[in-house]
Amino acid sequence: MRLEAITWERLGDLLAERLLDLKPADGSPWLRIALDGAPAAGPGDLADRISEALRVRGRSSLVVGTEGFLRPASVRLEYGHQDVEAYYSGWYDTGALWREVFGPLEAGGDGRVLPDLWDPAADRATRSPYAELPPGGVLLLHGPFLLRHWFPFDLSVHVLLSPGALRRRTPGTEHWTLPAFERYEQETDPVATADVLVRADDPRHPAWSGRSGRSGRSG
């Protein structure tokens, strides 16, 4: 796939503009957007940029990170602190994401989304209040492995790092997670699956697949 050089600011603006013209695939009043990528790739930073670009265009949005939906440590770390299979398949509470994030944004939903559920540092529930996303609002969900769960995304963006860049930008204490991202590439092929691809090997100079990327529902 041919990628075009761009700035992060311009990328946020262009993606926001694309969302202004996008219609939810299931007829609901809300768009659901994936910002998929390893933590080292910074998909949450891109979600924040898009949110701000939407705000200045008069469109409401809600940024939600999957790190707020980690399972309790007793479940997450049942097989040890560095179990790759558990990290890949069991760290994130996908059932809670379906129930608390996607369910309220279905056609006929009430738009009341729980922005986070679990504080992994304190290992307890966050008790955060629900956030009401008005009709026409946009959910910007960011985190790793998003495209393997069949979540009902209306647009998916994958922030890509080469294996070398991923290793360099991942803290040494988290290098044990790298095989999980290799497996994700092999099993899900997010580069081919995502509607929009952003390469971020050089954090100062991203490149993307352009305005004409695939459109439609992803998951």
Side-chain angles (χ1 to χ4, degrees):
M1 182 182 296
R2 184 174 180 273
L3 301 179
E4 305 169 3
I6 195 170
T7 65
W8 287 112
E9 181 177 9
R10 181 64 174 153
L11 178 60
D13 286 341
L14 289 178
L15 288 173
E17 289 173 7
R18 180 167 177 175
L19 297 182
L20 295 179
D21 296 326
L22 189 63
K23 303 298 182 185
D26 64 354
S28 79
W30 303 279
L31 286 171
R32 293 139 301 189
I33 311 303
L35 286 305
D36 175 62
D45 294 336
L46 182 55
D48 288 338
R49 287 183 180 276
I50 298 170
S51 180
E52 175 60 18
L54 287 169
R55 185 191 67 79
V56 301
R57 289 164 172 79
R59 191 78 171 266
S60 298
S61 65
L62 178 65
V63 176
V64 175
T66 57
E67 71 272 10
F69 287 84
L70 286 167
R71 296 182 186 277
S74 60
V75 177
R76 204 167 70 244
L77 308 178
E78 180 181 2
Y79 301 103
H81 287 257
Q82 298 186 358
D83 187 275
V84 176
E85 175 61 34
Y87 177 64
Y88 184 64
S89 301
W91 272 39
Y92 297 94
D93 192 341
T94 55
L97 284 166
W98 277 106
R99 182 179 67 252
E100 303 290 358
V101 178
F102 290 105
L105 302 181
E106 293 177 348
D110 59 12
R112 296 179 70 248
V113 175
L114 191 65
D116 52 56
L117 179 65
W118 198 258
D119 180 346
D123 198 32
R124 64 187 181 193
T126 59
R127 297 183 174 86
S128 295
Y130 284 86
E132 294 200 14
L133 192 60
V138 180
L139 169 71
L140 299 163
L141 180 68
H142 64 86
F145 315 133
L146 290 181
L147 304 184
R148 65 182 295 262
H149 297 296
W150 297 100
F151 290 140
F153 293 120
D154 297 295
L155 187 81
S156 58
V157 180
H158 177 61
V159 187
L160 171 68
L161 293 177
S162 67
L166 178 60
R167 175 170 289 274
R168 288 193 303 273
R169 291 170 57 182
T170 299
T173 54
E174 298 175 14
H175 276 187
W176 66 271
T177 65
L178 297 179
F181 294 103
E182 294 175 10
R183 179 176 171 184
Y184 182 56
E185 294 285 341
Q186 295 167 1
E187 294 185 354
T188 305
D189 193 5
V191 171
T193 301
D195 299 310
V196 177
L197 180 64
V198 178
R199 181 177 285 278
D201 286 1
D202 183 341
R204 300 165 300 176
H205 303 292
W208 78 312
S209 54
R211 293 175 182 266
S212 59
R214 296 175 298 276
S215 61
R217 188 164 175 154
S218 303

